[in-house]
Amino acid sequence: MQSQGQWMEVDRSEVIKSNLNPVFAKIFTVDYYFEEVQKLRFEVYDSHGHAGVGTHDDDFLGGMECTVGQIVAQKRVTKPLFLKYGKFAGKSTITVISEEISGNNGYVELAFRAKKLDDKDLFSKSDPFLEIYRIDDDGSEQLVYRTEVVKNNLSPIWEPFKVSLNSLCSCEEKRKLRGVVWDYDSRGKHDFIGEFFTTFEEMQKAMGENKVQWDCMNPKYKVKKRNYKNSGVVVLLDLKIHRVYSFLDYIMGGCQIHFTVAIDFTASNGDPRNSCSLHYINPYQPNEYLKALVAVGEICQDYDSDKKFSALGFGARIPPKYEVSHDFAINFNPDNDECEGIQGVVESYQSCLPKIQLYGPTNVAPIISRVARVAADEERTKEASILDGDDGVLRSPKGEPVLRDIVQFVPFREFKNASPTALAKCVLAEVPKQVVEYYSYKAFPPRCPQPDTPDSNLSSPQ
């Protein structure tokens, strides 16, 4: 993970022997911060086993870089591996799957054992371990968990383990699961003992004092042996479940963040030709508005699949008639105010600035109403004073309290000498809580049909 411009090693997977298509069971645990760009790099090595992994004795097979935001927004990221100097590592790819494992996420604790497994060893007993796979909609299998190996035991008791409900069954109780029991082999050529199929719905019968068990079947033996019953029995001794939905549950469940930019073009910002203006057209570095826009936009773009962002302006006289507008597309396209990526917003802003006249007054109500209509698909908002509630519950002119704190105002001047990262953190820090509060209020679980966006965060330099 990149920290202050330097790459720091977080963790290493187990070594899987003699395999060109390894599935790693090791889970890399990293702290997730929505309001930061968290850069990750994955490196793959062929271990020769003489010393620690990644030493000079090991062969570098390739690496890949991405952000935590990209992984959690897509849930599953597959990218080619690169050697040094940007060269492809043949056709090699790496796939990274993400899930939330924090204490607030829904998770299940499972305890398995087996009885009377087939003996695959000549001079001792099998060394069994259990793998649990989730079967996805396309029929592919995803490894959920691999237990430890219990040596020399045909009736092993494996250590209890925890997995998220999203990882186990994509939060779908009827999704098919496959359990596979192997006899461990130190050369990597594990002997297949048997398999069984189940669902999380069936597993839940093991809650409390009950137990659930399955015949561990070897399909080849079932065909060849007339009196074949099974290759042992797998027993689910206990199941404990805990459900709490979090921000990441909604993001991984398909919730998108629709990022809208609204820029203040009132004359109080100063003449763009003057170096004191927040809109100063500086040929050598971005002005204050661009710094704020890029700092926040680079984070939000990872959570919007089409990477198209609405960019609006207010408080200016605009062509062709140079009438004052408090709600105009900065690309001057009344039919489509969206720009391609954050760079598209930047270019539209730079193109727009010389064509307009900064004017006033500072009236953000039309844009708040516009974004609220898109977000909630409701009629035009009649009240424009649902603002930041950090200093106490805000009320309408009639004294009605707001239901939720949905706006975060950040004075840009306080961050003028700080890094863009610090600004983005402050602007976006409340978004996860706002999303969860909104969906909890509406009683929407993850993976349900949802509106485009729960809230609108309007933020501009002040």
Side-chain angles (χ1 to χ4, degrees):
M1 177 175 279
Q2 196 172 88
S3 175
Q4 298 179 339
Q6 300 294 318
W7 289 106
M8 307 292 290
E9 182 178 315
V10 175
D11 209 342
R12 301 180 181 188
S13 76
E14 75 278 19
V15 175
I16 294 182
K17 297 184 178 180
S18 306
N19 196 329
L20 299 181
N21 299 286
V23 177
F24 300 102
K26 171 83 175 185
I27 292 174
F28 296 86
T29 304
V30 297
D31 292 328
Y32 165 74
Y33 301 100
F34 164 75
E35 65 273 19
E36 294 182 18
V37 176
Q38 297 173 273
K39 293 183 179 180
L40 296 177
R41 175 169 175 80
F42 297 88
E43 295 185 347
V44 185
Y45 292 88
D46 175 23
S47 173
H48 295 292
H50 303 305
V53 177
T55 63
H56 294 298
D57 292 333
D58 296 325
D59 297 320
F60 177 62
L61 300 180
M64 177 272 280
E65 292 182 16
C66 62
T67 67
V68 175
Q70 288 168 347
I71 296 174
V72 301
Q74 299 175 42
K75 288 177 49 175
R76 184 189 191 99
V77 173
T78 299
K79 287 194 173 187
L81 289 175
F82 286 91
L83 300 171
K84 293 181 180 177
Y85 312 114
K87 292 184 178 180
F88 285 102
K91 296 182 179 179
S92 301
T93 64
I94 183 170
T95 299
V96 183
I97 294 125
S98 61
E99 64 180 71
E100 186 179 11
I101 58 171
S102 74
N104 291 329
N105 191 31
Y107 67 90
V108 60
E109 184 172 354
L110 302 168
F112 284 94
R113 71 161 302 173
K115 296 178 182 178
K116 299 179 180 178
L117 295 174
D118 286 354
D119 194 352
K120 296 291 183 179
D121 296 340
L122 289 175
F123 303 109
S124 62
K125 296 176 182 177
S126 296
D127 304 320
F129 67 92
L130 170 67
E131 291 182 332
I132 303 292
Y133 289 86
R134 178 186 72 233
I135 301 178
D136 291 330
D137 293 335
D138 60 3
S140 64
E141 294 188 349
Q142 173 59 45
L143 177 64
V144 174
Y145 190 81
R146 181 185 293 134
T147 70
E148 77 283 7
V149 176
V150 177
K151 291 281 189 179
N152 198 33
N153 196 327
L154 300 181
S155 295
I157 300 176
W158 292 291
E159 289 291 326
F161 59 91
K162 295 178 182 178
V163 293
S164 74
L165 288 171
N166 189 45
S167 174
L168 180 65
C169 60
S170 304
C171 299
E172 298 170 10
E173 297 188 355
K174 296 183 183 297
R175 180 171 292 279
K176 205 170 186 181
L177 305 173
R178 177 173 175 251
V180 188
V181 181
W182 302 89
D183 173 24
Y184 176 80
D185 179 79
S186 59
R187 297 167 298 174
K189 300 186 184 302
H190 311 303
D191 291 321
F192 176 75
I193 294 178
E195 64 183 7
F196 63 94
F197 294 89
T198 185
T199 63
F200 180 56
E201 182 179 51
E202 185 180 28
M203 282 184 173
Q204 291 180 69
K205 296 175 184 176
M207 295 178 73
E209 298 298 317
N210 301 318
K211 294 178 176 58
V212 184
Q213 66 180 43
W214 302 269
D215 287 332
C216 189
M217 305 297 293
N218 186 322
K220 290 183 179 179
Y221 290 175
K222 191 174 182 180
V223 172
K224 291 180 180 179
K225 298 181 179 180
R226 180 179 298 177
N227 297 323
Y228 177 74
K229 183 179 180 183
N230 59 44
S231 293
V233 174
V234 175
V235 182
L236 178 56
L237 297 170
D238 192 21
L239 179 148
K240 296 174 183 174
I241 186 171
H242 180 64
R243 296 178 189 265
V244 176
Y245 297 128
S246 69
F247 173 67
L248 268 182
D249 283 321
Y250 290 107
I251 293 296
M252 292 178 163
C255 174
Q256 300 261 320
I257 293 179
H258 183 77
F259 179 61
T260 299
V261 179
I263 300 175
D264 181 353
F265 287 113
T266 58
S268 60
N269 286 279
D271 188 333
R273 293 168 294 184
N274 189 319
S275 62
C276 295
S277 170
L278 294 175
H279 285 299
Y280 177 52
I281 303 172
N282 188 332
Y284 302 107
Q285 65 177 12
N287 62 28
E288 312 289 19
Y289 274 91
L290 285 179
K291 287 178 182 177
L293 167 63
V294 173
V296 177
E298 280 189 338
I299 291 169
C300 293
Q301 68 179 352
D302 284 344
Y303 304 88
D304 189 333
S305 60
D306 67 5
K307 302 291 185 287
K308 293 180 180 179
F309 307 114
S310 298
L312 311 171
F314 63 92
R317 286 175 165 172
I318 64 172
K321 297 183 179 180
Y322 285 93
E323 296 175 338
V324 177
S325 173
H326 296 293
D327 179 7
F328 65 92
I330 66 172
N331 63 6
F332 297 118
N333 183 347
D335 299 321
N336 185 3
D337 60 26
E338 292 187 327
C339 303
E340 294 287 341
I342 297 304
Q343 188 56 36
V345 178
V346 170
E347 291 170 2
S348 294
Y349 167 76
Q350 291 172 328
S351 175
C352 163
L353 199 53
K355 300 174 184 175
I356 63 173
Q357 294 177 3
L358 274 59
Y359 204 70
T362 304
N363 181 6
V364 300
I367 280 181
I368 290 179
S369 297
R370 176 180 180 144
V371 176
R373 278 200 313 275
V374 174
D377 197 24
E378 296 175 349
E379 293 182 42
R380 177 176 291 273
T381 303
K382 296 178 181 177
E383 294 287 347
S385 53
I386 297 176
L387 300 178
D388 186 24
D390 288 349
D391 298 323
V393 177
L394 291 161
R395 297 180 180 275
S396 73
K398 296 179 182 179
E400 299 165 331
V402 298
L403 291 174
R404 293 171 287 115
D405 174 16
I406 64 168
V407 176
Q408 175 74 351
F409 279 101
V410 179
F412 186 81
R413 69 174 73 90
E414 294 180 9
F415 292 86
K416 202 166 184 179
N417 298 319
S419 68
T421 302
L423 171 68
K425 274 187 182 181
C426 194
V427 172
L428 298 172
E430 293 189 3
V431 171
K433 177 172 67 76
Q434 292 168 352
V435 171
V436 172
E437 285 183 355
Y438 173 79
Y439 285 126
S440 298
Y441 172 74
K442 292 288 188 180
F444 284 140
R447 299 180 70 85
C448 281
Q450 300 157 355
D452 287 341
T453 178
D455 306 318
S456 306
N457 267 331
L458 182 69
S459 178
S460 64
Q462 295 177 21

